[in-house]
Amino acid sequence: MRQAVLGLVIGCTLFAIVTQTVVFEVISRQQIRRESLLNNDETLERIESEINSYIHSNIVKMQAIYNEEDLVYAMRHSDKNRERLLDYYFTAWHMSERRFDSSDQLLAMYIYDKNDHLVSSHRKQPYNYPHDLYETDQYVNASHLQSYLESDDYAVLLSGYHNEVADQDVMRLVLKLHTYGDDRSQFGYMVCDFSTFNISEIMSKYISSRDVYVWLQPQGDAPIAQVGNTTKEESKLFSQLTKLVATSSEEFPQLRDESGSFYLNSRPFSDYNLHIIMLTPQSLMMHTQSALARTLAVIAVFIILVTLLVGIIFSGFIYRPVEELSNTIIKIKNGDTELRAKTDGWSQELKVMGDEFNEMLDQIGQMVQEEYEAKVLMERTQYKVLQAQINPHFLFNTLDTMSGIAASQNCNLVSGLCQSLSAIFRYSLDISDTQSTLQQEMAHVRNFLYVMDVRNGNTVKYNYQIDSDTLDDNIPRITLQPIVENALQHGLRNTRRKDKELTITAKHEGGELVITIEDNGAGMDAAAMNEQLEKADIGRIEMGRSIGVMNVNARVKSVYGSGYGIHYESSIDEGTKAVIRLPIVKQEVKDGGEVQGFVS
């Protein structure tokens, strides 16, 4: 907005300055235009005369080919004896050396028979110019040459192109070789490519300023040579005019005397299909206006400075509140969410905007806080629901075991069994703390294995490889027992081997707590199991469709993230290994704290 105010002030000032110069421009412009166009026409006439002489001189030298009587005879009878033309392979070289001086700037010479077969060629720079115009990937304007050869025009062709390899503008002269009888039978043609240096030198000699742009262009073809410096506007106008001339076929297009900020003069050559065109900046012709222009410039600068100062003061008064609001928004975006816009001293409209913006930020902050509290409550509730699902399942199995033992035996084992079950119940039903230590978990597992040994008859050997520095690590309560139970029920129970073993290890590895529970039982489909564990479908577990290992895995991922959890490795009839990965979280031991004991 501030820029808009300043732009308006400066624009009005410039309009006033432009208005006072209009009268001077209207009076002087027409007179300057008439004199400029007349002078330019006279300049073009002198350029045309000298270029005509240069071109005519080169054509005369090219026509010396008719003095090569043997070559002319061989080309006229090439249909009967094609091989004879091979004797004149160096003719182009001899002619270029004898007929042309270095000042002629001859770049290449080609002699062809009437069937476009190359008879002889010579190039001053063989690596820049092709050996044959029809057998090269370079752009050599061969299409324009072919159009001329297919026509009935026997006048010398003037054409041109830009050699990309040599970075050189080329003027081409093409001479049709023909008999001088009534039928005028063509038997070949000669192509000479010249540097445009001499043409450019002639044009530059008559140009008073490098800001004047002059070029030479045949009708229906691209420009041959150009001199002068071009501005962006002049280059655009040059492209438009050259395209107009290059696409004209019937007659040379009528060009206006004035185009944009340039005077435009053109002149056709009387002897050749060639036009010379001149673009002259009108500013060069306005020398008589220089004194007034300087005066106007001083006045303009003074007025602009005054109006600019007034505009800055006025726009600053208006723009200051908007800038303050913008800076406040940027700071809030960068993290300063407690910041609020100060609306004291603002206009009524901006004050309303600032107050509404502050109210919106307060509402957003309140919504974010409410969403965070709801998310925390949901996660706590979800975790406790997952944990509580294990207890009824385990209690049912344990009570069933006790019932079977009490009915079948004489109650000798009930005392020890009840002690273990008491510890198990106390550990399982205490859900006031969702976390435990590895030492407490192992005590719970040993109590569980004691009950299972009583139930199954001491058929399994247990190995414990627990590093001492892992005992105080925190893990979710009731993490190991469901996996151990799964190994006994589905691994060791379904094998007939006598040396059943269950090994539990715990160690720190790569900054993580790694617990493995390995059996040498029947094995399982580990890939299918791991796929289910990766999904960790809490919704399915909450509906009661999955307990045990799935429940433990879901709780671990819920607490620590998807990077942790359970992974199985198994081979059929060889055994199964469950690997539990957890972060290392140490348990602070309090004085007088009770740690669940192991059952021996």
Side-chain angles (χ1 to χ4, degrees):
M1 186 173 66
R2 189 174 190 178
Q3 288 79 0
V5 173
L6 291 175
L8 179 62
V9 173
I10 296 174
C12 293
T13 304
L14 291 176
F15 175 78
I17 296 173
V18 170
T19 301
Q20 68 178 334
T21 61
V22 169
V23 176
F24 174 81
E25 290 285 334
V26 171
I27 295 174
S28 61
R29 183 180 182 85
Q30 293 301 320
Q31 182 63 29
I32 294 174
R33 177 179 179 276
R34 284 192 296 269
E35 293 179 358
S36 299
L37 292 176
L38 182 60
N39 291 335
N40 290 343
D41 283 337
E42 294 175 354
T43 301
L44 294 184
E45 185 177 358
R46 290 191 291 270
I47 293 175
E48 178 206 351
S49 177
E50 190 165 343
I51 292 178
N52 266 332
S53 299
Y54 171 74
I55 294 174
H56 179 72
S57 173
N58 286 326
I59 292 175
V60 170
K61 294 178 181 180
M62 291 174 63
Q63 289 173 338
I65 192 173
Y66 285 102
N67 296 332
E68 305 289 334
E69 296 178 356
D70 293 340
L71 172 62
V72 171
Y73 180 84
M75 292 178 67
R76 290 179 61 185
H77 299 87
S78 62
D79 291 338
K80 297 178 181 179
N81 190 358
R82 168 69 184 163
E83 289 75 16
R84 186 176 178 182
L85 292 177
L86 299 176
D87 297 335
Y88 304 95
Y89 181 80
F90 293 101
T91 299
W93 180 78
H94 291 307
M95 287 194 64
S96 65
E97 292 296 319
R98 292 197 308 265
R99 302 293 181 181
F100 293 91
D101 301 327
S102 59
S103 60
D104 293 328
Q105 297 286 319
L106 177 65
L107 300 175
M109 179 187 293
Y110 305 88
I111 301 174
Y112 290 89
D113 65 13
K114 61 183 178 181
N115 295 317
D116 297 332
H117 294 143
L118 181 66
V119 177
S120 178
S121 69
H122 173 64
R123 297 150 295 153
K124 296 292 185 181
Q125 299 174 344
Y127 45 89
N128 287 335
Y129 295 87
H131 171 70
D132 190 338
L133 295 175
Y134 301 111
E135 295 182 5
T136 178
D137 293 330
Q138 289 182 243
Y139 174 75
V140 292
N141 202 5
S143 60
H144 198 71
L145 173 61
Q146 283 296 313
S147 298
Y148 163 72
L149 295 174
E150 293 169 3
S151 69
D152 295 329
D153 186 10
Y154 283 88
V156 175
L157 170 69
L158 274 80
S159 181
Y161 73 98
H162 182 75
N163 187 299
E164 295 288 346
V165 178
D167 193 21
Q168 171 74 54
D169 288 329
V170 177
M171 180 185 72
R172 173 172 294 163
L173 299 180
V174 184
L175 175 66
K176 284 185 179 179
L177 304 178
H178 57 85
T179 62
Y180 284 87
D182 294 335
D183 59 345
R184 231 183 198 190
S185 175
Q186 180 184 342
F187 56 85
Y189 54 95
M190 181 180 184
V191 180
C192 287
D193 287 348
F194 296 87
S195 169
T196 60
F197 177 80
N198 289 337
I199 298 289
S200 299
E201 283 294 303
I202 293 172
M203 292 190 293
S204 298
K205 184 168 62 175
Y206 294 97
I207 301 305
S208 59
S209 172
R210 297 297 296 176
D211 292 329
V212 177
Y213 200 73
V214 183
W215 72 93
L216 204 63
Q217 183 174 6
Q219 181 180 345
D221 200 358
I224 292 177
Q226 52 266 349
V227 295
N229 300 324
T230 58
T231 61
K232 183 177 180 181
E233 180 184 0
E234 201 166 4
S235 296
K236 182 179 179 181
L237 186 56
F238 168 76
S239 299
Q240 294 172 351
L241 293 174
T242 54
K243 183 177 179 181
L244 181 63
V245 175
T247 54
S248 62
S249 57
E250 298 296 331
E251 59 182 17
F252 192 82
Q254 294 295 323
L255 303 178
R256 295 177 298 173
D257 293 335
E258 188 173 350
S259 182
S261 59
F262 299 90
Y263 294 127
L264 178 61
N265 296 79
S266 65
R267 181 178 180 84
F269 278 52
S270 57
D271 298 328
Y272 307 106
N273 175 29
L274 202 60
H275 290 76
I276 185 167
I277 306 170
M278 175 186 289
L279 277 177
T280 306
Q282 296 179 7
S283 58
L284 294 178
M285 306 301 155
M286 300 298 177
H287 298 300
T288 57
Q289 296 176 307
S290 58
L292 179 59
R294 285 193 295 269
T295 303
L296 293 177
V298 173
I299 296 174
V301 171
F302 176 78
I303 295 175
I304 289 175
L305 290 176
V306 172
T307 54
L308 185 62
L309 179 61
V310 174
I312 291 174
I313 296 174
F314 181 74
S315 62
F317 175 79
I318 298 177
Y319 184 73
R320 182 183 58 80
V322 178
E323 188 176 23
E324 291 178 358
L325 180 59
S326 176
N327 292 335
T328 301
I329 293 174
I330 293 174
K331 291 179 181 178
I332 293 173
K333 176 184 175 182
N334 292 334
D336 192 358
T337 56
E338 299 298 324
L339 189 63
R340 294 296 181 267
K342 298 180 180 179
T343 59
D344 297 334
W346 289 13
S347 64
Q348 183 62 32
E349 294 82 3
L350 292 176
K351 187 175 186 303
V352 171
M353 183 186 299
D355 292 338
E356 292 294 328
F357 176 74
N358 291 338
E359 184 177 352
M360 179 186 68
L361 290 177
D362 293 337
Q363 293 176 355
I364 291 175
Q366 184 178 357
M367 292 172 60
V368 170
Q369 182 63 29
E370 291 174 356
E371 182 180 1
Y372 174 77
E373 293 175 356
K375 183 178 180 180
V376 171
L377 180 60
M378 181 184 299
E379 289 179 353
R380 289 178 179 175
T381 303
Q382 184 182 67
Y383 180 86
K384 289 189 176 181
V385 169
L386 288 172
Q387 186 185 44
Q389 284 184 301
I390 293 179
N391 297 330
H393 176 73
F394 178 71
L395 288 176
F396 177 82
N397 290 338
T398 304
L399 291 175
D400 182 67
T401 301
M402 290 178 61
S403 177
I405 293 174
S408 61
Q409 297 192 21
N410 199 22
C411 299
N412 295 330
L413 299 177
V414 171
S415 176
L417 186 61
C418 287
Q419 290 180 9
S420 295
L421 286 176
S422 175
I424 292 172
F425 290 162
R426 185 167 58 254
Y427 186 79
S428 299
L429 295 175
D430 183 13
I431 62 173
S432 59
D433 188 0
T434 59
Q435 295 289 314
S436 182
T437 64
L438 180 60
Q439 182 176 1
Q440 292 171 331
E441 273 291 294
M442 285 304 302
H444 178 66
V445 168
R446 285 197 166 190
N447 285 321
F448 169 76
L449 291 177
Y450 174 77
V451 173
M452 297 306 293
D453 274 350
V454 173
R455 179 180 179 184
N456 298 326
N458 295 317
T459 59
V460 181
K461 178 182 177 181
Y462 305 109
N463 298 317
Y464 304 102
Q465 301 173 8
I466 310 299
D467 289 355
S468 60
D469 58 347
T470 65
L471 293 176
D472 292 333
D473 290 354
N474 266 18
I475 65 173
R477 185 182 291 271
I478 312 180
T479 295
L480 303 183
Q481 178 262 319
I483 303 174
V484 171
E485 181 181 3
N486 194 64
L488 294 175
Q489 295 294 333
H490 303 290
L492 296 174
R493 186 176 183 181
N494 294 330
T495 183
R496 297 183 178 181
R497 63 192 308 162
K498 301 302 182 181
D499 56 340
K500 299 180 181 180
E501 288 188 13
L502 180 70
T503 303
I504 302 176
T505 64
K507 59 183 177 179
H508 290 160
E509 183 179 291
E512 297 177 339
L513 171 61
V514 180
I515 304 172
T516 60
I517 301 172
E518 185 174 4
D519 66 73
N520 60 352
M524 61 181 291
D525 185 355
M529 187 65 174
N530 289 330
E531 183 178 355
Q532 294 295 322
L533 291 172
E534 282 296 323
K535 293 179 180 179
D537 189 354
I538 295 177
R540 182 178 174 208
I541 296 170
E542 287 178 345
M543 289 186 292
R545 296 178 183 175
S546 177
I547 58 174
V549 177
M550 295 292 184
N551 185 290
V552 172
N553 184 66
R555 286 190 292 128
V556 170
K557 289 183 179 296
S558 175
V559 174
Y560 300 119
S562 59
Y564 300 97
I566 304 171
H567 181 80
Y568 273 92
E569 301 173 7
S570 181
S571 299
I572 301 300
D573 295 329
E574 293 184 9
T576 301
K577 180 196 290 186
V579 181
I580 309 170
R581 292 189 177 274
L582 302 167
I584 300 176
V585 181
K586 287 296 183 181
Q587 172 72 29
E588 295 182 0
V589 180
K590 299 179 181 179
D591 294 340
E594 181 180 354
V595 179
Q596 198 81 347
F598 290 113
V599 176
S600 57

